Amino acid sequence: MKSNELTIKQLTHLVGGGLTARMVRHYHQLGLLPQPVRSPSNYRLYTKKDVLRLQRIVALKQQGFQLNHIRNILEVEPEADTTVNLMGQLQQQYRAVMQQISQLRQTASALEGLLGRDRHCQIMQAKVLAQLKLLDVETQAGLGGLENLWSGLDAEIHTHSEAFSESLQRLLPDLSHRSEIEQHLISQLVLACGDVSLVSFVKLSRDAIAASREALSSSCQIVVDTQTVAAALDQTRLLHLGCQFETLIDNPHITTATEAEVAFWQHQEWREKLQQVSKGCVLVVGYAPSVLVEVCKAITNQKIQPALVIGMPIGFSHAPAAKRQLMQQEIPFITVAGTLGGGALAATALNTLVESLIDKPDCHCYLNQNNS
């Protein structure tokens, strides 16, 4: 073996990123990695070129790319690997993926329309499914019969309110490995956006639930990025817990993520205000990615020490990056990875945590007293 040749064990150690020998062999089978030369003893031998290619594969996987898409990216010849060519290829891949998602979303919606029916609808649904098998859908009469069947099933929604919990039991994946509070939190987040696929994007640090309960029980300060998020908070329970809340971007005219993002950078006083939040507070970011970026920076520089960060800003580049930075911090966090997020989700996360601590009081008259 030459001095510049590596065994598969040396290769995986050098590349890092959790790469294993089994994964390397799998990449060979998929054509992602060329077959290496063999030693006289039939051991695989790798070069610096293999190291660089594997590092690219690992880096792309960490960003969320699937192996078939990684193969397409790596097929670009190095001499043609300009920014323009690569961006064009990525756009083409994105359109193809979005088309697949759209098709799968249609199928998922159809399945949700059946699986999500509660027991009041199931009798009618059973009849619909039974009759569906008997219809001759090749004829016009058959198509008309189909429309009548669906209309009859949809008519059931006028007879009772929707049973959200019952529907979710059939649609959610197995969450038995999570605590009861986590299961309820994830369920509420799904209900807040109507997308069951959100489950796989919800990320909690191991100590997030315990840290939130301790902080909220201690009447911690709640700091939110915009007034839109503040308006969605469960003020009834928060005031009973003695939690006061403050808004960073305290302009009532700023109601969208775009406005919040621009305004935060234009006003130095709001960035300075963030540096002054109390130790042990709960930070809730639902709109502006730059707020979460600044939060992570302040935590890293030990300027602030929140008990929990709920980071769910909206965005297509800064937001995913800010969330990745949040997940690398050594503080409790709750986030939704990727571009998904928003004020409704962020407020729902906090409200669910508060709900786990205190039943909602029947009387709200004290709110007027406190605000007078």
Side-chain angles (χ1 to χ4, degrees):
M1 185 175 70
K2 299 178 182 179
S3 59
N4 62 342
E5 291 177 332
L6 303 169
T7 64
I8 195 168
K9 182 177 180 180
Q10 292 171 326
L11 175 75
T12 56
H13 178 74
L14 188 60
V15 173
L19 186 69
T20 65
R22 183 177 180 181
M23 292 166 66
V24 173
R25 290 191 288 269
H26 183 55
Y27 297 158
H28 285 312
Q29 294 173 351
L30 295 177
L32 270 172
L33 189 66
Q35 290 292 340
V37 297
R38 297 274 184 166
S39 70
S41 303
N42 204 32
Y43 287 106
R44 292 181 173 90
L45 299 178
Y46 297 90
T47 65
K48 183 179 180 180
K49 186 176 180 180
D50 296 317
V51 173
L52 294 174
R53 188 173 180 89
L54 276 169
Q55 287 175 336
R56 293 181 70 187
I57 293 172
V58 170
L60 289 167
K61 275 193 67 180
Q62 289 176 343
Q63 290 299 311
F65 284 94
Q66 302 299 308
L67 293 180
N68 58 327
H69 300 130
I70 293 175
R71 182 191 295 108
N72 293 334
I73 294 174
L74 296 181
E75 283 177 356
V76 177
E77 295 296 329
E79 58 271 15
D81 192 8
T82 64
T83 300
V84 174
N85 290 335
L86 183 58
M87 290 302 294
Q89 186 188 60
L90 292 176
Q91 287 178 335
Q92 185 177 4
Q93 286 192 52
Y94 178 74
R95 285 191 286 268
V97 169
M98 291 307 296
Q99 184 176 6
Q100 294 172 1
I101 290 175
S102 177
Q103 293 170 346
L104 290 171
R105 182 65 259 177
Q106 291 178 28
T107 301
S109 295
L111 290 169
E112 287 165 356
L114 296 175
L115 293 172
R117 302 278 179 172
D118 53 45
R119 64 181 181 277
H120 296 286
C121 296
Q122 285 179 4
I123 296 176
M124 175 62 73
Q125 180 173 293
K127 292 179 180 178
V128 169
L129 295 177
Q131 293 179 51
L132 182 61
K133 295 180 180 180
L134 302 177
L135 280 176
D136 180 5
V137 295
E138 298 297 328
T139 67
Q140 191 63 37
L143 292 174
L146 276 175
E147 291 180 3
N148 291 334
L149 287 177
W150 296 128
S151 295
L153 182 55
D154 287 341
E156 289 297 304
I157 67 174
H158 299 285
T159 64
H160 59 279
S161 60
E162 182 160 351
F164 290 108
S165 298
E166 189 176 338
S167 298
L168 277 176
Q169 288 177 3
R170 299 190 183 90
L171 298 174
L172 288 175
D174 181 18
L175 299 175
S176 59
H177 61 289
R178 294 181 177 270
S179 69
E180 186 176 338
I181 295 177
E182 286 185 57
Q183 292 180 38
H184 184 57
L185 171 62
I186 292 171
S187 298
Q188 294 305 107
L189 290 173
V190 168
L191 286 175
C193 68
D195 187 353
V196 180
S197 67
L198 182 78
V199 173
S200 60
F201 294 94
V202 177
K203 307 296 181 183
L204 294 83
S205 62
R206 185 175 299 178
D207 52 349
I209 299 299
S212 68
R213 291 173 67 83
E214 181 178 352
L216 292 168
S217 298
S218 301
S219 303
C220 68
Q221 179 191 32
I222 310 294
V223 182
V224 301
D225 57 343
T226 68
Q227 291 194 8
T228 305
V229 176
L233 297 181
D234 189 340
Q235 297 183 33
T236 304
R237 287 192 175 96
L238 285 172
L239 288 175
H240 268 268
L241 288 170
C243 297
Q244 301 296 319
F245 58 89
E246 187 171 358
T247 307
L248 283 175
I249 305 174
D250 54 359
N251 184 336
H253 300 292
I254 296 174
T255 57
T256 68
T258 303
E259 293 170 340
E261 182 73 359
V262 173
F264 185 70
W265 281 112
Q266 288 180 342
H267 294 81
Q268 178 67 26
E269 66 268 24
W270 290 337
R271 296 198 294 277
E272 293 175 353
K273 188 176 180 180
L274 176 61
Q275 305 284 337
Q276 299 168 3
V277 299
S278 62
K279 181 179 179 180
C281 69
V282 172
L283 282 164
V284 184
V285 183
Y287 280 95
S290 293
V291 173
L292 186 56
V293 171
E294 199 72 9
V295 166
C296 293
K297 181 180 176 182
I299 293 172
T300 300
N301 294 333
Q302 298 183 342
K303 299 291 186 181
I304 62 174
Q305 298 179 40
L308 173 74
V309 177
I310 298 175
M312 301 183 183
I314 305 171
F316 299 100
S317 61
H318 287 47
K323 293 170 183 176
R324 285 192 292 270
Q325 290 181 22
L326 174 61
M327 289 186 280
Q328 294 169 1
Q329 301 293 326
E330 294 183 358
I331 49 97
F333 66 82
I334 301 174
T335 189
V336 177
T339 62
L340 300 172
L345 287 177
T348 296
L350 180 63
N351 291 342
T352 303
L353 295 172
V354 173
E355 179 188 349
S356 70
L357 288 170
I358 182 173
D359 292 332
K360 181 165 286 190
D362 294 327
C363 178
H364 298 161
C365 60
Y366 73 92
L367 285 174
N368 293 330
Q369 297 173 358
N370 289 346
N371 293 332
S372 60

